[in-house]
Amino acid sequence: AGSSPAYGRHRTVDEVKQMLDTVVANEKEPDVVQISGGEPTIHPQFFEILDYAKSLPIKHLMLNTNGIKIAKDLEFAKRLASYAPDFEIYLQFDSFKKEVLESMRGANLTSIRTEALEHLNALNLSTTLVVTLQKGLNDDEMGAIIDFALQQKCVRGVTFQPTQIAGRLENFNS
């Protein structure tokens, strides 16, 4: 919830390894582990963390991302594809509307999502579109997002999650 750029620092690789080791110790062979953040792709040792996670007996590894790095860097996306199979992108995809994206994410990310999906489709890298729903803001787009997802080669699913009142959310009206 505290994912603001002013939050402070990245967790060290050793801290993340300890977190992953704890999950494995508790679950033996976890079905799914999601690398999340803030935005995990900006961690200076991001691929070292992924390498370590893939070395563990985790059945399915997911990357929760806003897609900016995937959109702007095809080589980065190709490197992500090297972690398949049993690796998936959990791509933030809240709306098609500029004003909704600006309200929810502080920027119109339409072109970023388009570019990210172009790269993910080209690589056929398993992707789930993740929609954070806010009543009266983007809940009218659910059908259109599902229709759009069905047209994407890489998309395997759509997840709808209601807004949680936590973290940086200000002036939220449920």
Side-chain angles (χ1 to χ4, degrees):
S3 61
S4 166
Y7 175 67
R9 66 171 185 85
H10 294 285
R11 292 189 187 273
T12 67
V13 172
D14 286 340
E15 287 172 323
V16 175
K17 285 181 176 181
Q18 184 177 10
M19 293 164 70
L20 290 166
D21 289 343
T22 300
V23 170
V24 171
N26 287 328
E27 296 186 30
K28 306 301 177 231
E29 290 185 21
D31 285 329
V32 177
V33 170
Q34 189 175 88
I35 306 295
S36 195
E39 175 54 40
T41 63
I42 64 172
H43 192 286
Q45 294 165 292
F46 172 71
F47 284 112
E48 186 177 339
I49 291 167
L50 279 189
D51 289 342
Y52 186 73
K54 283 298 280 188
S55 76
L56 298 172
I58 297 168
K59 293 178 184 174
H60 193 77
L61 187 63
M62 299 174 86
L63 170 63
N64 190 348
T65 180
N66 61 23
I68 293 172
K69 187 89 170 162
I70 293 168
K72 296 193 174 297
D73 187 347
L74 179 58
E75 292 306 311
F76 181 87
K78 286 179 181 176
R79 187 152 178 204
L80 288 177
S82 74
Y83 291 92
D86 305 320
F87 178 76
E88 181 175 354
I89 303 299
Y90 214 59
L91 181 65
Q92 185 185 89
F93 196 95
D94 300 314
S95 179
F96 296 109
K97 299 173 190 170
K98 173 184 180 284
E99 61 278 4
V100 171
L101 293 169
E102 288 174 348
S103 172
M104 292 182 78
R105 302 296 174 183
N108 179 4
L109 300 169
T110 304
S111 64
I112 292 294
R113 300 299 182 265
T114 301
E115 292 170 37
L117 282 166
E118 284 175 11
H119 290 163
L120 295 167
N121 278 324
L123 298 165
N124 198 22
L125 183 51
S126 182
T127 302
T128 294
L129 300 184
V130 183
V131 184
T132 301
L133 287 176
Q134 255 186 53
K135 185 178 179 182
L137 191 62
N138 65 341
D139 55 343
D140 62 327
E141 296 184 80
M142 294 170 69
I145 291 171
I146 291 170
D147 289 342
F148 176 79
L150 288 169
Q151 299 170 29
Q152 308 305 312
K153 177 181 178 182
C154 67
V155 173
R156 309 293 190 262
V158 179
T159 296
F160 294 101
Q161 54 191 32
T163 298
Q164 179 180 349
I165 304 170
R168 326 179 255 184
L169 203 56
E170 296 176 13
N171 304 317
F172 177 72
N173 181 1
S174 58

